[in-house]
């Protein structure tokens, strides 16, 4: 199951809207999530978000299909959402997908996470690779040459730092979770 699954269930006698994700958000699922959040807000139904999100789909086909527009609709629905919200991170929670699924920026009443959850702007390997390319570009502009061994050491150091920061305990220690 990928995308967004939605339902409204009674919990302790109160109707609660549940928005669950397992993987990547596609255009269709972002629209589905946006519409469900809007309906819950109109009916004053509290929301529970279950996150295992790697982010929004990327690539030429997704961009042509309107992922930026449809993702923005979900983020907009969240920004206008005034009902109580609870977020539970059950796997990973990365990037703009985190925000669309009621990340910290949308002020959930409570954010909880499993102890093995991951929480960051992007996954450690992707972040380390991106940051390494930025660092290498800066070094080249300064006229520095970096051999393959130094690149591997830099990548390992950046990756270790990111792995530490994506730990749910890192976020919990800062009061984010």
């Amino acid at each position: 199951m990928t995308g967004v699954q939605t339902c409204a269930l009674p919990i302790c006698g109160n109707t609660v809207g549940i928005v669950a994700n397992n993987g990547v958000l596609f255009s269709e699922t972002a629209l589905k999530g946006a519409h469900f959040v809007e309906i819950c807000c109109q009916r004053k139904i509290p929301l529970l978000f279950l996150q295992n999100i790697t982010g929004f789909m990327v690539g030429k086909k997704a961009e042509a299909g309107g992922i930026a527009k449809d993702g923005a609709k979900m983020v907009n629905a969240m920004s206008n959402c005034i009902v109580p919200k609870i977020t539970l991170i059950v796997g990973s929670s990365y990037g703009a997908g985190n925000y669309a699924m009621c990340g910290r920026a949308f002020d959930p009443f409570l954010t909880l996470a499993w102890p093995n959850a991951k929480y960051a702007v992007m996954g450690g390997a992707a972040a380390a690779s991106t940051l390494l390319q930025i660092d290498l570009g800066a070094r080249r502009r300064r006229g520095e040459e970096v051999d393959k061994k130094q690149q591997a050491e830099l990548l390992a150091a950046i990756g270790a730092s990111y792995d530490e920061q994506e730990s749910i305990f890192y976020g919990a220690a800062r009061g984010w979770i």
Side-chain angles (χ1 to χ4, degrees):
M1 170 184 79
T2 60
V4 172
Q5 301 298 317
T6 58
C7 69
L9 296 173
I11 298 176
C12 296
N14 298 309
T15 302
V16 175
I18 299 173
V19 182
N21 174 267
N22 188 21
V24 177
L25 277 174
F26 296 92
S27 288
E28 300 83 15
T29 54
L31 281 175
K32 179 181 179 181
H35 293 153
F36 185 76
V37 167
E38 290 169 348
I39 289 168
C40 287
C41 282
Q42 289 170 356
R43 296 180 182 170
K44 298 190 178 13
I45 298 172
L47 288 163
L48 170 64
F49 291 85
L50 303 175
Q51 287 190 9
N52 183 20
I53 182 134
T54 55
F56 285 98
M57 179 51 87
V58 295
K60 187 179 278 190
K61 184 177 177 184
E63 290 173 16
I67 188 65
K69 172 183 57 106
D70 297 334
K73 286 180 181 180
M74 188 166 178
V75 171
N76 186 47
M78 285 304 309
S79 68
N80 291 303
C81 184
I82 58 170
V83 298
K85 302 171 289 284
I86 293 177
T87 300
L88 174 60
I89 302 169
V90 296
S92 60
S93 182
Y94 295 122
N98 163 273
Y99 292 112
M101 290 287 293
C102 196
R104 175 172 76 125
F106 294 118
D107 197 27
F109 178 72
L110 182 64
T111 300
L112 304 167
W114 285 175
N116 62 339
K118 303 287 183 195
Y119 182 74
V121 173
M122 65 174 58
S129 176
T130 302
L131 292 173
L132 176 64
Q133 294 308 313
I134 292 168
D135 186 40
L136 291 175
R139 289 171 187 256
R140 284 189 197 107
R141 285 189 295 279
R142 290 192 305 258
E144 297 176 31
E145 290 295 322
V146 180
D147 62 23
K148 295 288 182 192
K149 182 182 176 193
Q150 288 174 315
Q151 285 184 22
E153 290 170 357
L154 285 169
L155 185 62
I158 294 169
S161 172
Y162 232 87
D163 287 343
E164 175 191 346
Q165 292 177 25
E166 77 176 345
S167 163
I168 207 65
F169 298 108
Y170 184 89
R174 284 147 184 81
W176 303 338
I177 308 294

